[in-house]
Amino acid sequence: MSKITAAITAVGAYVPEDILTNKMLEEMVDTNDEWITTRTGIKERHILKDPNKGTSYLAIQAAKDILRKTNLDPKEIDLVIMATATPDMPVASTGVHVATQIGATNAFSYDLQAACSSFLYGMSTAAAYIEAGRYKKVLLIGADKMSSIIDYTDRTTCIIFGDGAGAVLMEPNTEGLGLQDEILKSDSIGRESLKIEAGGSLMPPTEETVARKLHFVQQDGKTVFKFAVSNMAGVSEQIMKRNDLSNEDVNWLVAHQANKRIIDATANRMGLNDEDKVLMNIQRYGNTTSATLPLLLSDYEKNFKKGDNLIFASFGGGFTWGAAYLKWAYNS
Ligand code: UT7
């Protein structure tokens, strides 16, 4: 019997309609389009303005996009993994609500939180279940309503993040396609550099935590940048070496969209001279945390050919980071 690998067999996405441009941010904080563009590569981001809608809304739309494209009966889905750093509520699980709302009534579901690496870690989890023969149809969704945890008076963070969702269906493959290898890492050296300090068990909410804005993202950008460049580029290079992949062999780099300069540094370290291989949509969405990787897959799906070699790379709060090598499984 041939070995079972876990392949991505469909992709879906959703971003909310409202757009927040660099020009609009100029009216809100002391910043300018030129600074944001040259330092980050971001021009605009999408924002879910409706205060009555949370991350589940974004995730449901992305999941429905897959159901529409594939005509899949949601009752066939075995498991829904909800990768997110901004669940609707701390308890109950957002994924459970998403699964029920899309009609995946035979599936079980849970949330997976690893900041900006949530989707990459989720891919590993989904693949492990499939490779073990335990489940056959796993829906992995990466979604974040980052605007719900951003202080729009803090110019060091509010220019970076946006809202969005992407989803992939993962299924068994016997042609050797799908996930080939991964290197996943974490280190709490980054615990203080990128965090939401209050609202958890260590510092439950009080009037004071609200007044001190401790429920918003705080980031020491310079430190995170330094670790992101060395660690994300490091594992990307390592996974190529370990799999005897030259820069010619790599068809696409699917890297977390946090800063164009970090993505460029990673591509350089991998020796990817052809910039067409480096997927980039940060200019339109900003950093959507758990959604960046599936949003790239959705935007570039038509360019991928069966058998193409994709390298995924991510870096996020925690710190959490990693790289994965995946062979694309279909022509669209
Ligand atoms: O996805 C999770 C992982 N996150 C990341 O990977 C983010 C990593 N970090 C970054 O992308 C970058 O560090 C930032 C985009 C956050 C900041 O860029 P930077 O080049 O590291 O800027 P900086 O923090 O060193 O600040 C340079 C200057 C400072 O002014 P002085 O001290 O030189 O006078 C800042 O106060 O730019 C100033 N500054 C701004 N100016 C205009 C900071 N934010 C802004 C702003 N507009 N929005």
Side-chain angles (χ1 to χ4, degrees):
M1 208 175 95
S2 43
K3 192 181 159 211
I4 295 173
T5 48
I8 291 176
T9 55
V11 178
Y14 175 77
V15 286
E17 264 172 38
D18 282 301
I19 291 175
L20 178 62
T21 64
N22 290 353
K23 280 273 164 235
M24 290 156 87
L25 282 164
E26 285 180 8
E27 307 292 316
M28 296 158 67
V29 288
D30 180 15
T31 192
N32 58 78
D33 176 43
E34 206 258 329
W35 191 96
I36 301 172
T37 307
T38 54
R39 297 285 180 129
T40 70
I42 302 168
K43 285 301 223 181
E44 58 188 37
R45 350 71 205 109
H46 290 247
I47 303 290
L48 180 57
K49 281 206 170 151
D50 188 338
N52 297 315
K53 291 190 169 107
T55 294
S56 64
Y57 176 80
L58 302 168
I60 289 166
Q61 308 313 311
K64 282 185 175 169
D65 190 30
I66 285 198
L67 296 179
R68 242 190 329 264
K69 281 163 81 175
T70 57
N71 280 324
L72 173 71
D73 177 354
K75 289 192 171 54
E76 286 181 38
I77 299 170
D78 300 305
L79 164 62
V80 176
I81 301 177
M82 179 73 238
T84 185
T86 54
D88 284 3
M89 304 182 263
V91 180
S93 159
T94 300
V96 169
H97 183 56
V98 172
T100 302
Q101 290 298 310
I102 64 167
T105 48
N106 291 318
F108 72 106
S109 177
Y110 54 88
D111 296 353
L112 189 155
Q113 211 285 58
C116 295
S117 301
S118 302
F119 185 84
L120 194 70
Y121 282 24
M123 227 162 75
S124 169
T125 309
Y129 281 125
I130 290 167
E131 287 159 9
R134 197 96 156 248
Y135 304 111
K136 289 201 163 49
K137 290 196 187 326
V138 181
L139 182 65
L140 168 62
I141 309 172
D144 271 302
K145 184 184 175 184
M146 292 305 292
S147 61
S148 66
I149 52 168
I150 294 301
D151 174 5
Y152 284 94
T153 65
D154 175 7
R155 70 174 182 173
T156 67
T157 51
C158 75
I159 56 134
I160 299 171
F161 295 98
D163 301 339
V168 296
L169 184 67
M170 293 186 73
E171 294 184 85
N173 185 282
T174 49
E175 296 176 87
L177 302 170
L179 191 65
Q180 307 292 307
D181 194 15
E182 67 185 20
I183 300 170
L184 302 181
K185 299 276 194 181
S186 63
D187 188 340
S188 78
I189 194 172
R191 190 167 153 100
E192 294 301 317
S193 308
L194 177 47
K195 64 179 176 184
I196 296 177
E197 201 164 1
S201 57
L202 200 55
M203 195 187 287
T206 61
E207 282 180 17
E208 195 200 337
T209 61
V210 173
R212 289 175 59 206
K213 299 187 172 189
L214 298 183
H215 298 271
F216 291 123
V217 170
Q218 297 164 266
Q219 176 175 237
D220 168 6
K222 258 192 173 54
T223 303
V224 179
F225 186 92
K226 202 179 73 189
F227 277 96
V229 167
S230 66
N231 290 349
M232 196 163 96
V235 286
S236 304
E237 190 186 31
Q238 212 183 326
I239 205 157
M240 282 173 70
K241 280 207 177 117
R242 197 155 95 173
N243 290 280
D244 290 324
L245 295 170
S246 70
N247 52 358
E248 301 278 305
D249 298 325
V250 174
N251 298 102
W252 310 102
L253 169 62
V254 191
H256 175 52
Q257 308 282 293
N259 188 315
K260 182 174 185 298
R261 290 182 291 144
I262 300 173
I263 302 163
D264 289 342
T266 302
N268 270 340
R269 181 92 167 262
M270 295 167 68
L272 295 185
N273 317 315
D274 181 356
E275 66 175 35
D276 290 343
K277 290 183 171 187
V278 183
L279 308 192
M280 194 87 71
N281 58 15
I282 191 171
Q283 64 281 6
R284 288 191 289 135
Y285 306 135
N287 182 350
T288 55
T289 303
S290 312
T292 59
L293 300 181
L295 277 174
L296 283 172
L297 295 180
S298 171
D299 282 355
Y300 284 87
E301 184 186 19
K302 292 204 162 43
N303 298 61
F304 303 152
K305 301 263 171 309
K306 189 173 173 178
D308 276 0
N309 292 323
L310 278 65
I311 300 291
F312 290 75
S314 79
F315 187 85
F319 293 132
T320 56
W321 70 101
Y325 164 33
L326 177 137
K327 277 188 178 292
W328 197 249
Y330 61 94
N331 297 312
S332 33

